[in-house]
């Protein structure tokens, strides 16, 4: 059974950092695109960052570019999202997702429909 499990969320002050982890089971991470999305109450789920299956290329949305970094460790079957300089508007539930690389990375990362496997989400709250 395919499963993704996120962890690492929590409460952090503005300007702080968190690292989210996404561990998979049931399938290999080697051949899928991994994406991080978030959803705040009353808002659409937003694609933040994706990392390719093949060459490790990455995509970042404008809202997180320069502050967040996505990495993957296929041996550990884990993907990470390092989040720095967090702001109150980063408060949301964060999800990792896996999808078959069928199109360009930026196209995939801006459309959740390309991702067929999702984790349950981890809450990130940025507040003083």
């Amino acid at each position: 059974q395919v499963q993704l499990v996120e962890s690492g969320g929590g409460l952090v002050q503005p300007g702080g950092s968190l690292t989210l982890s996404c561990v998979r089971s049931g399938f290999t991470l080697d051949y899928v695109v991994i994406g991080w999305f978030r959803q705040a109450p009353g808002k659409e789920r937003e694609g933040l960052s994706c990392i390719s299956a093949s060459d490790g290329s990455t995509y970042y949305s404008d809202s997180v570019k320069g502050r967040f970094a996505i990495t993957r460790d296929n041996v550990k079957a884990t993907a990470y999202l390092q989040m720095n300089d967090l702001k109150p508007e980063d408060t949301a539930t964060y999800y990792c997702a896996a999808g078959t690389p069928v199109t360009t990375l930026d196209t995939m990362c801006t459309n959740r429909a390309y991702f067929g496997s999702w984790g349950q989400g981890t809450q990130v709250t940025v507040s003083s």
Side-chain angles (χ1 to χ4, degrees), residues 1-7 21-27 29 32-40 43-50 81 93-100 107-122:
Q1 181 178 356
V2 171
Q3 189 174 17
L4 296 170
V5 179
E6 304 96 335
S7 62
S21 299
C22 171
V23 181
R24 68 84 180 152
S25 62
F27 66 100
L29 271 185
V32 297
V33 171
I34 299 297
W36 284 97
F37 294 73
R38 71 184 177 192
Q39 188 164 18
K43 293 189 176 183
E44 294 290 320
R45 192 166 296 190
E46 173 191 11
L48 304 177
S49 182
C50 291
L81 186 68
T93 301
Y94 284 67
Y95 300 88
C96 70
T100 301
T107 299
M108 287 193 68
C109 212
T110 53
N111 189 340
R112 59 179 292 189
Y114 286 108
F115 294 84
S117 299
W118 291 84
Q120 83 290 348
T122 185

Side-chain angles (χ1 to χ4, degrees), residues 33-38 45-53 55-72 80-82 103-112 114-115:
V33 171
I34 299 297
W36 284 97
F37 294 73
R38 71 184 177 192
R45 192 166 296 190
E46 173 191 11
L48 304 177
S49 182
C50 291
I51 186 165
S52 75
D55 60 3
S57 58
T58 57
Y59 164 88
Y60 296 96
S61 68
D62 288 342
S63 60
V64 304
K65 193 176 298 181
R67 299 189 298 125
F68 290 12
I70 187 171
T71 56
R72 63 194 294 165
Y80 305 93
L81 186 68
Q82 173 68 41
T103 185
T104 61
L105 198 62
D106 58 340
T107 299
M108 287 193 68
C109 212
T110 53
N111 189 340
R112 59 179 292 189
Y114 286 108
F115 294 84

Side-chain angles (χ1 to χ4, degrees), residues 67-88:
R67 299 189 298 125
F68 290 12
I70 187 171
T71 56
R72 63 194 294 165
D73 184 334
N74 289 344
V75 173
K76 295 183 178 179
T78 303
Y80 305 93
L81 186 68
Q82 173 68 41
M83 306 186 296
N84 300 319
D85 189 24
L86 284 162
K87 305 175 181 181

